[in-house]
Amino acid sequence: MVVFKMQAKVLIVGCGLCGSVIARELAEKGLQIQIWERRNHIGGNMYDYRDPHGILVQKYGPHTFHTKEQHLYEYICRYGEWQSYKLTCGAVWDSQYTPTPFNFTTIDTFYPKEAANKLKGKLLHAFEGKSTATVVEVLQHPDPDIRGYAEFLFQKDYAPYTAKQWGVSPSEIDPSVLKRVPLRFSYDEGYFDDLYQVMPAQSFANFFEKLLNHPNISIQLEKDALELLTVSSSGTELLLEGKPISIPIVYTGALDELFACCAGRLPYRSLRFDWKYEEKESIQEAPVVAYPQAPGYTRITEYKKLPHQDVRGTSYAVEYPLPYLPEQGTEPYYPVLTEDSKRQYETYRQMAKRIPNLIPCGRLADFKYYNMDQALKRALEVARSL
């Protein structure tokens, strides 16, 4: 492993997408970059590997890259080959499968034929010119049949899934979370509508290897920055082993932990994966399927379909959400966005602004629910600012 070099011009904490992109961009400008990563691998939550059955699986849950922005797609193409991949997802309740986002197939599945045709006609008229709408919009519609459809979906899927996923009532969750998956007013399928939807031709791990392959980048794995970095008593400096450090420090971890949770612990959700293998060609209709009525778990990802792999048997992960408790060795995955948590995060953000050489960036440090393209865009913005 490479030890910390004091001649490094920038220290980056975390080797996920944000940290790695910033490292590469600054390295290209001639800066010496040191990355500290507390895990034993690069790639953050996008890390993948081949399991004992030869199936490429993602250790921390399913990821695909999708974006509407050409320059972001072109950026990732610099570091490896990508293949077109349109993600399909589904949900199961009352022993019935439906595609997600919910579409006219959902209505046909759960409504009698005459009622289904009437509802589809009303939706097309009410939302004329729109191919989708959020469940929040449909819940607020004055027509009782349209509103009733949204309430049915909310009770069967959104509410139980949200309660398990986030550990709070749906009424407490920031509306942006509920708006992530729209309702479709057609029979179209596919989880995203973005122009560019791809998966790496080899693996995400290979993409990160190429992204970080630069002579100006040094990486130290299994290096926990929080064991060495602290905030001064004045709150205006970062200390490395008790001594001030003045080089820019890009921090991609949970921001509250850098400040020793002095304003309380920010709420993040974690996950536990129950990994299984069966000598079957398939166990479900889509790569990622939600099970809102299932006890404890939220979804199952079948990895031979993500992307398609011509292999015998199938490996899949059953996903159980749980609170993030670092003392129990869990990982922070998702910020729990509520009005209270956003106010609490703002306290930490103001603390961070008092330290001139501290640059928070990423889903955890920014306390935002980024998709991969959003994280990439944020990283490029931070790199430009540096």
Side-chain angles (χ1 to χ4, degrees):
M1 296 298 177
V2 180
V3 297
F4 177 66
K5 300 177 181 178
M6 290 310 295
Q7 67 263 33
K9 299 302 182 184
V10 179
L11 172 62
I12 296 177
V13 177
C15 201
L17 185 60
C18 282
S20 299
V21 168
I22 293 170
R24 181 61 185 238
E25 289 296 288
L26 298 183
E28 294 281 357
K29 299 296 184 183
L31 295 173
Q32 293 291 322
I33 310 300
Q34 176 70 54
I35 300 177
W36 285 350
E37 169 55 56
R38 64 181 175 80
R39 292 171 173 171
N40 64 358
H41 59 75
I42 62 176
N45 286 358
M46 293 166 63
Y47 175 71
D48 54 7
Y49 64 97
R50 293 204 177 272
D51 73 2
H53 309 284
I55 299 174
L56 185 68
V57 300
Q58 298 184 38
K59 184 174 182 178
Y60 304 99
H63 295 78
T64 67
F65 187 88
H66 57 95
T67 186
K68 294 179 172 64
E69 300 191 49
Q70 182 178 350
H71 74 104
L72 298 179
Y73 169 68
E74 290 176 345
Y75 184 89
I76 65 167
C77 288
R78 297 182 203 170
Y79 305 105
E81 295 182 23
W82 296 78
Q83 58 184 323
S84 178
Y85 182 81
K86 189 174 183 179
L87 178 66
T88 56
C89 298
V92 172
W93 69 78
D94 295 348
S95 300
Q96 297 278 359
Y97 171 86
T98 177
T100 56
F102 303 121
N103 62 4
F104 282 176
T105 301
T106 308
I107 298 173
D108 293 343
T109 300
F110 292 102
Y111 279 70
K113 185 175 181 179
E114 186 176 336
N117 290 336
K118 178 183 176 184
L119 176 58
K120 288 181 288 187
K122 282 192 170 188
L123 287 167
L124 289 171
H125 177 72
F127 295 93
E128 186 176 1
K130 295 185 66 175
S131 59
T132 65
T134 69
V135 70
V136 176
E137 290 177 87
V138 185
L139 279 167
Q140 296 169 347
H141 198 274
D143 186 289
D145 291 334
I146 292 175
R147 191 170 63 252
Y149 172 53
E151 289 169 351
F152 167 75
L153 296 176
F154 195 82
Q155 293 303 318
K156 290 292 186 178
D157 180 87
Y158 287 92
Y161 190 93
T162 298
K164 285 191 292 184
Q165 175 72 6
W166 301 104
V168 298
S169 164
S171 63
E172 297 178 61
I173 284 288
D174 189 80
S176 65
V177 175
L178 295 176
K179 292 176 180 178
R180 284 175 60 85
V181 184
L183 308 186
R184 293 193 187 278
F185 306 131
S186 67
Y187 286 96
D188 291 348
E189 294 190 19
Y191 204 70
F192 304 110
D193 292 323
D194 295 342
L195 178 60
Y196 304 99
Q197 300 184 48
V198 293
M199 290 283 284
Q202 288 183 268
S203 66
F204 281 117
N206 177 263
F207 161 73
F208 276 93
E209 287 167 6
K210 292 179 177 178
L211 179 63
L212 292 164
N213 182 21
H214 194 285
N216 289 342
I217 298 175
S218 299
I219 304 169
Q220 188 165 4
L221 301 178
E222 299 182 279
K223 184 81 168 180
D224 189 346
L226 294 180
E227 294 178 356
L228 301 171
L229 286 176
T230 54
V231 177
S232 67
S233 58
S234 67
T236 58
E237 287 184 305
L238 279 176
L239 308 178
L240 175 62
E241 295 185 310
K243 298 180 180 179
I245 179 170
S246 60
I247 64 172
I249 297 178
V250 177
Y251 181 82
T252 68
L255 195 58
D256 58 336
E257 295 181 0
L258 181 62
F259 290 91
C261 299
C262 63
R265 184 172 290 282
L266 286 171
Y268 296 92
R269 288 296 275 178
S270 187
L271 298 170
R272 176 175 68 83
F273 299 97
D274 187 5
W275 289 91
K276 298 177 182 290
Y277 172 82
E278 293 189 39
E279 288 283 349
K280 294 180 178 179
E281 281 304 301
S282 174
I283 61 146
Q284 58 188 18
E285 293 193 42
V288 183
V289 177
Y291 295 86
Q293 294 175 338
Y297 67 89
T298 49
R299 64 182 181 178
I300 295 175
T301 301
E302 190 172 7
Y303 280 101
K304 70 179 297 181
K305 301 173 181 175
L306 192 71
H308 174 73
Q309 301 172 61
D310 187 13
V311 292
R312 178 181 174 181
T314 188
S315 295
Y316 59 96
V318 185
E319 202 168 300
Y320 291 83
L322 65 161
Y324 167 53
L325 300 170
E327 62 274 12
Q328 294 183 9
T330 56
E331 292 279 352
Y333 284 85
Y334 308 107
V336 182
L337 298 175
T338 66
E339 289 303 316
D340 287 343
S341 69
K342 287 191 291 184
R343 282 193 293 269
Q344 186 183 17
Y345 172 75
E346 183 60 23
T347 299
Y348 284 112
R349 194 177 75 86
Q350 293 301 323
M351 290 180 185
K353 287 173 68 174
R354 296 184 63 205
I355 304 175
N357 61 323
L358 173 62
I359 304 99
C361 179
R363 178 184 280 198
L364 300 181
D366 291 335
F367 205 66
K368 289 185 178 179
Y369 198 144
Y370 289 137
N371 289 328
M372 285 166 52
D373 65 325
Q374 294 168 323
L376 172 58
K377 188 172 185 177
R378 167 72 172 140
L380 292 172
E381 290 170 352
V382 167
R384 281 194 296 270
S385 74
L386 286 168

